[in-house]
Structures are given as C-alpha cells and as structure tokens.
C-alpha cells in the first residue's frame, strides 16, 4: 500500500489526497476542478500550471513536457498538468494563472 500525497489547489483552496504517480491533471479532476487540456501528452502546451510550493515532489519534466516547457519559455515553477507526476507532497498548485 502506497502513502497518499496531498495536493492543494489555489485559488480554489481545495485539497485532495492522491496516489503517487498520479498527474496534476488527475489530482485536479479528483478535486472537482477543471483544467483545459488538448493533447494530454505534453505536446500542445494548453495546460501550464504554476507550482509555488513542493515542486521538488514532482518527477522531473522529461520527453515532450520538457520540450514544450522550453519552447514556451516557462521557468522551473511551471509544469504541464497532463504530464507532471506527483511523487511526494505536500504540493501546492495554482490554476488559471497562465
Ligand atoms: S494537454 Fe497538451 S500539453 Fe498538456
């Protein structure tokens, strides 16, 4: 049995506990929050979210996500909701600020 990870979403101030390995997108859906997505594969850049706290608890961006973040010029506190996987928490994610 794995330990669940807390993800808190701003500005909604809503928290969920999810299994490690889940994406930020899955966490948002579990919290009942909508994230507009496109490809859901880290390629289109539709779903950037800022992670003001706990970003070190995410798996490092790789593959398509890494390339898209670079192409968009986003800094280290930005991730793509569809691709960023939560490993440990707590984590704070800001929606709707891009
Ligand atoms: S939905 Fe396309 S990059 Fe996340």
């Amino acid at each position: 049995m794995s330990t669940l990870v807390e993800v808190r979403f701003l500005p909604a101030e809503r928290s969920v506990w999810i299994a490690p390995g889940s994406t930020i997108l899955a966490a948002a859906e579990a919290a009942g929050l909508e994230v507009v997505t496109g490809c859901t594969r880290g390629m289109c850049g539709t779903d950037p979210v800022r992670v003001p706290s706990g970003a070190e608890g995410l798996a490092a961006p790789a593959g398509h996500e890494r390339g898209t973040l670079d192409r968009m010029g986003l800094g280290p506190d930005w991730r793509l909701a569809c691709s960023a996987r939560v490993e440990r928490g707590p984590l704070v994610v800001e929606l709707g600020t891009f």
Side-chain angles (χ1 to χ4, degrees), residues 25 36-48 64-65 68 71-72 80-83:
L25 178 60
V36 176
T37 59
C39 68
T40 67
R41 298 178 56 205
M43 297 169 69
C44 69
T46 302
D47 55 345
H64 293 310
E65 184 188 15
T68 301
R71 175 171 49 82
M72 296 175 75
L80 299 176
C82 67
S83 301

Side-chain angles (χ1 to χ4, degrees), residues 8-85:
R8 184 163 62 96
F9 289 96
L10 301 176
E13 287 292 351
R14 207 173 296 176
S15 293
V16 289
W17 292 84
I18 57 166
S22 301
T23 62
I24 289 176
L25 178 60
E29 288 172 346
L33 298 168
E34 184 182 5
V35 177
V36 176
T37 59
C39 68
T40 67
R41 298 178 56 205
M43 297 169 69
C44 69
T46 302
D47 55 345
V49 295
R50 202 169 79 83
V51 184
S53 174
E56 66 279 2
L58 293 167
H64 293 310
E65 184 188 15
R66 175 75 273 158
T68 301
L69 290 169
D70 289 347
R71 175 171 49 82
M72 296 175 75
L74 296 173
D77 56 341
W78 288 87
R79 297 296 300 266
L80 299 176
C82 67
S83 301
R85 293 195 180 275

